[in-house]
Amino acid sequence: TPAIMVRGEWAGDGTGDTTWSTAKEARHRYSAPGTYAITLEVRDTGRLTNRTTRPVTVVTANTPPVATFTVTPATGTIETTFSVDASDSSDAEDPAAALEVRWDWEGDGTWDTTWSTDKRAEHSYATPGVYSLRLQIRDTGGLMAEAVREVAVENTAPEAMLAVSPNRGATETSFTVDASGSRDLEDPASSLEVRWDWEGDGVWDTVW
């Protein structure tokens, strides 16, 4: 009834946070997460009182994680094993161990690994190029974030190998040269092209 007056404590700390009022509804917003005991005290016209308490739990709104990772080394060849480490990624609500990650090695939009809480991985590239290595991280609330790092897989120069037969001769001698021992890290020997400078004068005497 309107004659009954109420007052409340939002934190259950024994301090009356509101004054006596006949209004039976009130609103309050908590500034920090936690479990609070809301206490209601009622008083009738004879000034007799009674109290009741109810707990309320305040949690923070879930925020997206922060994705970050390192690549070691940042530059290599097709023989290089690149190591990635996303263990410095973080989330305001979840411990780092609970965060899941997955990787897109080429940055082509296709995820090459499944979700895992293991923040470290390794990968090698079969073809030279500059790749946008992409990380996606997910927290326990399903929110995600991404980070991208460039990885340079460099093409290496071929190694020229030359055999001459015979090593010595006369003007009538036909010298045979053989470069089939030349090799390259990325290409098969059959695809390598050669040209010759017979006198070593800096002028190429044959085309590729």
Side-chain angles (χ1 to χ4, degrees), residues 47-118:
R47 303 190 71 82
L48 296 178
T49 63
N50 194 11
R51 296 165 64 93
T52 187
T53 300
R54 295 288 187 273
V56 62
T57 300
V58 180
V59 297
T60 57
N62 188 28
T63 57
V66 176
T68 185
F69 70 97
T70 59
V71 183
T72 307
T75 302
T77 70
I78 63 172
E79 291 186 324
T80 302
T81 298
F82 295 90
S83 299
V84 291
D85 186 351
S87 57
D88 284 339
S89 297
S90 61
D91 185 72
E93 296 79 30
D94 296 322
L99 301 176
E100 294 181 307
V101 302
R102 61 180 178 177
W103 303 94
D104 174 5
W105 302 120
E106 293 81 19
D108 58 5
T110 299
W111 297 106
D112 299 301
T113 68
T114 58
W115 289 108
S116 172
T117 56
D118 188 354

Side-chain angles (χ1 to χ4, degrees), residues 18-207:
T18 66
T19 58
W20 288 109
S21 171
T22 57
K24 305 304 188 298
E25 291 185 4
R27 295 180 181 273
H28 181 69
R29 179 175 292 174
Y30 293 91
S31 60
T35 299
Y36 301 90
I38 299 178
T39 301
L40 167 69
E41 188 173 19
V42 297
R43 184 177 70 183
D44 64 15
T45 55
R47 303 190 71 82
L48 296 178
T49 63
N50 194 11
R51 296 165 64 93
T52 187
T53 300
R54 295 288 187 273
V56 62
T57 300
V58 180
V59 297
T60 57
N62 188 28
T63 57
V66 176
T68 185
F69 70 97
T70 59
V71 183
T72 307
T75 302
T77 70
I78 63 172
E79 291 186 324
T80 302
T81 298
F82 295 90
S83 299
V84 291
D85 186 351
S87 57
D88 284 339
S89 297
S90 61
D91 185 72
E93 296 79 30
D94 296 322
L99 301 176
E100 294 181 307
V101 302
R102 61 180 178 177
W103 303 94
D104 174 5
W105 302 120
E106 293 81 19
D108 58 5
T110 299
W111 297 106
D112 299 301
T113 68
T114 58
W115 289 108
S116 172
T117 56
D118 188 354
K119 308 303 186 298
R120 296 178 175 87
E122 293 182 340
H123 185 69
S124 297
Y125 293 89
T127 306
V130 177
Y131 298 92
S132 296
L133 199 164
R134 189 160 59 117
L135 161 73
Q136 189 173 57
I137 191 164
R138 179 173 69 181
D139 67 14
T140 58
L143 295 183
M144 294 178 285
E146 294 186 14
V148 178
R149 297 283 184 275
E150 282 195 350
V151 176
V153 182
E154 297 180 341
N155 185 32
T156 60
E159 182 181 359
M161 301 290 290
L162 170 63
V164 181
S165 179
N167 290 326
R168 184 181 180 88
T171 56
E172 295 85 6
T173 303
S174 177
F175 294 90
T176 301
V177 291
D178 184 357
S180 60
S182 299
R183 56 179 180 260
D184 184 70
L185 181 61
E186 296 81 21
D187 297 322
S190 59
S191 67
L192 299 178
E193 295 180 309
V194 301
R195 63 181 178 176
W196 304 94
D197 174 6
W198 302 120
E199 294 81 20
D201 58 4
V203 177
W204 296 104
D205 299 303
T206 70
V207 297

